[in-house]
């Protein structure tokens, strides 16, 4: 099969997207199955290790620094054996080997009991941060709220990120939009919680940064003086 250049591939995809937006209602376009593609040739990422296509929508795509690993969420039931599609789950595709990994699994194995979405993958591909409504990914998750987690693909462990610095106090509000840094040492996220840091008194959704190694949490959505908190979302 003849490969096409990266430039031509991008141009072709752009043309297809423009035509789709012109010819179909926006909700129809967004509702179509999203197929994740990589460019050297055009390569489909949302397939299992044997090439079977996802049987549901694929969303929130993230790619690591060298393009080897692609993370996404879907409620497809055919990508990994044992994942039944009851909830949205997060997967990582190795574009070199073709292997695909279910990363929003509970510690010790087992499926999450709620949706897991919005993955962010570190530059080295080792760490995947995501948000989840599941309460069984880690022991002791009892706040009944959407939380932020990080999965270590080398150790096959998941940890709760949206905790106060003591490592015990769970967020008293939902947390969103996780972004992991290049080496996986820090995760930035937003949260409606008011108990992640003692100084959070504005009653608004704020942005925090979590040091994964030390557990330290810092409120960063403040003015340049470091203390004045935002007065809006």
């Amino acid at each position: 099969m003849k490969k096409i250049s990266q430039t031509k591939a991008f141009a072709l995809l752009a043309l297809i997207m423009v035509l789709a937006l012109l010819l179909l209602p926006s909700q129809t376009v967004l509702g179509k199955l999203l197929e994740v593609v990589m460019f050297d040739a055009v390569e489909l990422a949302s397939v299992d290790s044997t090439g079977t296509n996802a049987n549901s929508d694929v969303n929130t795509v993230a790619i690591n620094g060298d393009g080897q690993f692609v993370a996404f969420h879907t409620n497809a039931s055919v990508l990994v054996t044992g994942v039944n599609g009851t909830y949205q789950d997060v997967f990582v595709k190795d574009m070199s080997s073709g292997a695909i990994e279910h990363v929003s699994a509970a510690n010790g194995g087992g499926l999450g009991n709620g949706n897991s979405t919005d993955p962010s993958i570190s530059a080295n591909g080792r760490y995947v941060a995501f948000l989840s409504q599941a309460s069984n990914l880690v022991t002791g998750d009892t706040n009944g709220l959407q939380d932020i987690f990080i999965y270590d693909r080398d150790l096959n462990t998941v940890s709760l990120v949206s905790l106060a610095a003591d490592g015990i106090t769970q967020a008293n509000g939902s947390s969103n939009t996780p972004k992991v840094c290049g080496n996986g040492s820090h995760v930035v996220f937003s949260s409606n919680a008011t108990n992640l840091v003692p100084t959070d008194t504005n009653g608004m959704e704020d942005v925090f940064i979590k040091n994964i190694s030390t557990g330290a949490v810092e409120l960063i959505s403040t003015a340049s003086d470091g203390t004045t908190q935002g007065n809006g979302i």
Side-chain angles (χ1 to χ4, degrees):
M1 181 181 294
K2 184 179 179 181
K3 291 186 175 182
I4 60 176
S5 69
Q6 178 174 336
T7 301
K8 288 182 179 178
F10 272 116
L12 179 61
L13 181 61
L15 177 60
I16 292 171
M17 292 176 67
V18 169
L19 289 173
L21 289 170
L22 289 173
L23 297 174
L24 295 171
S26 60
Q27 63 268 27
T28 302
V29 176
L30 294 174
K32 293 295 183 182
L33 291 178
L34 301 179
E35 293 183 335
V36 185
V37 293
M38 299 280 293
F39 295 100
D40 177 10
V42 178
E43 187 175 354
L44 187 62
S46 52
V47 295
D48 73 1
S49 57
T50 66
T52 300
N53 291 342
N55 58 351
S56 187
D57 291 354
V58 174
N59 298 283
T60 318
V61 180
I63 190 169
N64 83 310
D66 64 4
Q68 181 178 352
F69 300 107
V70 177
F72 56 88
H73 79 256
T74 180
N75 65 341
S77 60
V78 297
L79 298 179
V80 173
T81 301
V83 179
N84 58 24
T86 300
Y87 298 105
Q88 297 280 339
D89 279 293
V90 177
F91 299 85
V92 171
K93 177 75 172 182
D94 185 331
M95 301 306 300
S96 296
S97 69
I100 188 165
E101 181 180 3
H102 174 219
V103 301
S104 55
N107 275 329
L111 302 177
N113 60 3
N115 290 322
S116 295
T117 61
D118 291 29
S120 171
I121 191 167
S122 62
N124 58 13
R126 175 174 175 175
Y127 301 96
V128 182
F130 60 94
L131 63 85
S132 184
Q133 297 168 352
S135 62
N136 65 338
L137 300 186
V138 298
T139 302
D141 182 2
T142 58
N143 65 351
L145 297 168
Q146 181 171 278
D147 289 305
I148 306 300
F149 297 85
I150 189 166
Y151 185 82
D152 184 331
R153 297 181 56 238
D154 283 359
L155 299 179
N156 297 319
T157 56
V158 63
S159 302
L160 180 58
V161 171
S162 47
L163 289 169
D166 61 8
I168 300 171
T169 304
Q170 298 178 31
N172 61 2
S174 293
S175 299
N176 301 282
T177 56
K179 300 295 179 185
V180 64
C181 73
N183 64 5
S185 63
H186 292 77
V187 175
V188 173
F189 61 96
S190 65
S191 184
N192 289 304
T194 60
N195 62 343
L196 296 180
V197 297
T199 56
D200 184 3
T201 58
N202 65 349
M204 301 287 182
E205 183 172 14
D206 292 301
V207 179
F208 301 85
I209 187 167
K210 176 83 167 185
N211 185 314
I212 300 302
S213 297
T214 67
V217 183
E218 183 180 354
L219 174 62
I220 60 175
S221 51
T222 60
S224 57
D225 60 10
T227 58
T228 302
Q229 297 176 33
N231 59 0
I233 297 176

